[in-house]
Amino acid sequence: MRAFILEALYEWSKAPYQKYFKGDAAWQLTANDLLRYPEQSLGFHLGCFLLKHHFEIQPKLESHDVFHVLTGTGTSVPEEVSMQYYLWGNGKRSAYLVAVVVLGTLLYPDEIKRFIRAFRKGKRALPFHQLHFFKLLGQPINSIKTAFAIQ
């Protein structure tokens, strides 16, 4: 039930968030387009992630899936919350992040240790949440992770 609540809130809020809070242009790429990047690149790994989970790129929300790829975070609801904790630790600030952290903590108090570990990992990494990932799609993923100390 608690996963349903967070998933429903996400679906309800996604369109207004894309329209009113995300100013960047959509990437206009598909998962198959991303698979044309070199195998060691961020773009290729993002394409693999999308296909593995049967996802499509969400216009203007592309960085969310990049965060999954770079941090190695899964897609279950507690993992999604832990990724927001990671990004909070990394310095990201948004109303959406705060809402997920607060609701996720209230709905998943049994996962607090996971959330705190994710926050600490985000703190240890150099700030990367604000990068323009579209420009980095051709770069080797390991170089990006090393440069920003992403665990």
Side-chain angles (χ1 to χ4, degrees):
M1 181 63 166
R2 54 191 182 169
F4 174 78
I5 292 169
L6 280 177
E7 289 171 0
L9 287 171
Y10 168 74
E11 288 301 324
W12 172 78
S13 65
K14 180 175 63 171
Y17 185 68
Q18 286 169 299
K19 183 175 181 178
Y20 298 112
F21 295 100
K22 300 302 277 184
D24 296 337
W27 290 3
Q28 304 298 321
L29 293 173
T30 66
N32 286 327
D33 293 333
L34 293 166
L35 293 176
R36 293 188 188 105
Y37 280 88
E39 284 189 26
Q40 300 306 314
S41 71
L42 174 61
F44 182 83
H45 282 262
L46 177 57
C48 290
F49 171 84
L50 293 168
L51 289 178
K52 176 183 176 184
H53 295 286
H54 307 286
F55 292 160
E56 293 183 22
I57 292 179
Q58 298 296 306
K60 297 186 173 188
L61 302 177
E62 298 91 350
S63 61
H64 180 85
D65 291 325
V66 171
F67 295 143
H68 279 286
V69 171
L70 289 175
T71 64
T73 305
T75 60
S76 70
V77 173
E79 290 168 319
E80 291 281 356
V81 174
S82 74
M83 189 172 76
Q84 296 306 313
Y85 266 88
Y86 189 113
L87 295 171
W88 179 27
N90 195 246
K92 185 173 185 194
R93 301 293 183 264
S94 72
Y96 205 82
L97 180 142
V98 170
V100 171
V101 165
V102 169
L103 288 172
T105 303
L106 292 173
L107 292 171
Y108 288 93
D110 52 312
E111 297 284 349
I112 195 69
K113 288 181 182 176
R114 175 200 305 238
F115 299 157
I116 291 168
R117 281 192 307 271
F119 177 84
R120 289 179 179 152
K121 281 184 180 181
K123 273 298 243 193
R124 287 191 297 268
L126 297 173
F128 67 92
H129 63 88
Q130 79 294 357
L131 296 175
H132 296 283
F133 294 110
F134 182 77
K135 296 176 183 179
L136 298 174
L137 291 175
Q139 297 301 310
I141 190 169
N142 287 335
S143 297
I144 298 168
K145 290 171 84 170
T146 299
F148 290 92
I150 300 170
Q151 302 176 8

